[in-house]
Amino acid sequence: MRHSCIFAAVSMTTLVLSGCGLEDTGPSAFNPATNVDLTFSTFNLENTEVAPDNLGTTRFWDFYRGIQPAADDADDLQTTGEIRSHIEVFTRATPTDAGNSYDSVRNPLDLMNQVLASGEVTNFQEGKRYISQRIADGVAGTYNSRANGAQIRFTDQSAAIADLPLNDQLWIYPTLDWRYLPDGPEGSDLDNKVYRTIQYVSRSVEEEEQAAQPELVSVLAGSRFDANSFMTLGYSPTEFATADYLSRTYGSIELRQDFIDENTDTLFIKSDESEVIELNRYPGYAQDNNHPDCLRIELDYNMDVVRIFASDGEPARIDDPDSTDEQDTIPNPANCTYQEDADAVTSWSTVAIAKR
């Protein structure tokens, strides 16, 4: 059985409900996930009088603003614009007139994050309370929708009325998972952590309808929280987060965020078929190929600096020269993922971002 309720508005704190409760369908003792079926007035997220900082919780809020050059350098400003335009393809962010921020977004990850924080969905709250109780007991616990065969389905009422393409009307999440591991994953020293996974996958459509669909095909996002700071309402302080977005025609991007150790955001861009950044405007880029297969933009909030790294045709791992075992490999220092600061194509000083 599914339950449906219309959200009258989308806000950071409550995602105001129009008066119907979402009851569960009988969660198990060990995994309380059940079906959740919600109808929203709109999937668009923006700041409102009720929630003036609504956008401050969206995934790219810090990075999108934080890459702004501190100096008025034409090349760096052009590159910043190119990076932002590419992000907008995946997050459907609408830039402000000034272009250094955005005033709305429309994507499944930001919407789900705000729904989870709102505390308005009964089964999601049961899942968080279950994890909180397992933390108190010091015993591992899991909430996993996929394992229970539970479907999470969001419908945009405005898009449905306007008869927009299917994937503008309907967002389905195959996986929502919270996992408390008091002893940490095997082989790690990360004790007493909570891990959350969110997965969105677009719906299949007939070939003649594909071109009309939004660019985003899928999102897979993971977050790690300290169990001592885990909250059942609102946003738990995040230690580390990743989000991998796949599009139909623009390749993919992955954002990795470190909030406690290095305090960095790192964006990886994979777009072998098309140019994202005109890298050859920089003397530090010595290749003819202006759409390398590995592109990394790192924003260091402690130092207020952006660095861009690029490589092409360099595998992520190579044979270990110090091992006789052909299976042993090491990270390839020539791959953009592992290049050092001195290998950057370019870098520039950035504006400071509060609270990062």
Side-chain angles (χ1 to χ4, degrees), residues 210-224:
Q210 291 177 5
Q213 304 302 312
E215 270 293 332
L216 190 65
V217 171
S218 66
V219 181
L220 181 62
S223 301
R224 190 185 80 207

Side-chain angles (χ1 to χ4, degrees), residues 167 200-203 214-219 245-249:
N167 288 294
Y200 159 81
V201 178
S202 63
R203 300 296 87 197
E215 270 293 332
L216 190 65
V217 171
S218 66
V219 181
Y245 303 73
L246 177 66
S247 73
R248 289 188 294 110
T249 57

Side-chain angles (χ1 to χ4, degrees), residues 188-223:
S188 84
D189 58 358
L190 296 173
D191 295 341
N192 209 34
K193 304 295 182 185
V194 176
Y195 299 85
R196 188 190 68 194
T197 300
I198 298 170
Q199 181 189 29
Y200 159 81
V201 178
S202 63
R203 300 296 87 197
S204 298
V205 297
E206 298 296 334
E207 185 174 353
E208 60 269 20
E209 299 176 7
Q210 291 177 5
Q213 304 302 312
E215 270 293 332
L216 190 65
V217 171
S218 66
V219 181
L220 181 62
S223 301

Side-chain angles (χ1 to χ4, degrees), residues 321-337:
D322 298 323
S323 174
T324 56
D325 189 338
E326 294 182 356
Q327 302 300 316
D328 288 344
T329 62
I330 58 172
N332 180 5
N335 180 276
C336 86
T337 306

Side-chain angles (χ1 to χ4, degrees), residues 32-33 122-132 143 178 230:
T122 300
N123 186 246
F124 294 163
Q125 283 303 104
E126 288 175 343
K128 287 192 283 186
R129 285 194 293 266
Y130 173 70
I131 294 298
S132 183
Y143 170 108
W178 281 287
F230 183 74

Side-chain angles (χ1 to χ4, degrees), residues 156-325:
D156 183 320
Q157 185 182 47
S158 299
I161 292 173
D163 197 26
L164 296 183
L166 175 63
N167 288 294
D168 260 327
Q169 298 183 33
L170 177 66
W171 290 350
I172 291 180
Y173 300 79
T175 304
L176 174 61
D177 179 284
W178 281 287
R179 196 163 299 246
Y180 170 54
L181 298 179
D183 298 325
E186 185 176 352
S188 84
D189 58 358
L190 296 173
D191 295 341
N192 209 34
K193 304 295 182 185
V194 176
Y195 299 85
R196 188 190 68 194
T197 300
I198 298 170
Q199 181 189 29
Y200 159 81
V201 178
S202 63
R203 300 296 87 197
S204 298
V205 297
E206 298 296 334
E207 185 174 353
E208 60 269 20
E209 299 176 7
Q210 291 177 5
Q213 304 302 312
E215 270 293 332
L216 190 65
V217 171
S218 66
V219 181
L220 181 62
S223 301
R224 190 185 80 207
F225 313 95
D226 188 304
N228 294 321
S229 302
F230 183 74
M231 300 165 57
T232 58
L233 186 64
Y235 296 88
S236 298
T238 308
E239 294 185 340
F240 188 79
T242 65
D244 199 332
Y245 303 73
L246 177 66
S247 73
R248 289 188 294 110
T249 57
Y250 287 85
S252 64
I253 60 174
E254 180 189 1
L255 182 67
R256 301 179 188 176
Q257 297 178 288
D258 186 331
F259 293 92
I260 59 170
D261 295 326
E262 298 179 356
N263 197 24
T264 58
D265 282 356
T266 305
L267 180 66
F268 291 88
I269 296 175
K270 297 179 182 178
S271 184
D272 301 354
E273 302 301 321
S274 59
E275 176 183 304
V276 176
I277 301 174
E278 191 178 333
L279 291 168
N280 55 22
R281 64 167 58 103
Y282 296 107
Y285 188 66
Q287 302 182 49
D288 294 330
N289 182 6
N290 219 28
H291 45 89
D293 59 20
C294 187
L295 185 57
R296 166 180 148 223
I297 299 99
E298 183 176 276
L299 173 54
D300 185 330
Y301 291 97
N302 292 335
M303 301 298 293
D304 293 330
V305 63
V306 159
R307 301 181 183 91
I308 298 180
F309 304 86
S311 64
D312 194 58
E314 293 288 348
R317 301 188 67 85
I318 56 176
D319 292 337
D320 185 351
D322 298 323
S323 174
T324 56
D325 189 338

Side-chain angles (χ1 to χ4, degrees), residues 42-56:
T42 178
F43 285 162
N44 294 345
L45 299 175
E46 57 187 25
N47 290 333
T48 67
E49 290 184 5
V50 176
D53 193 33
N54 210 19
L55 295 174

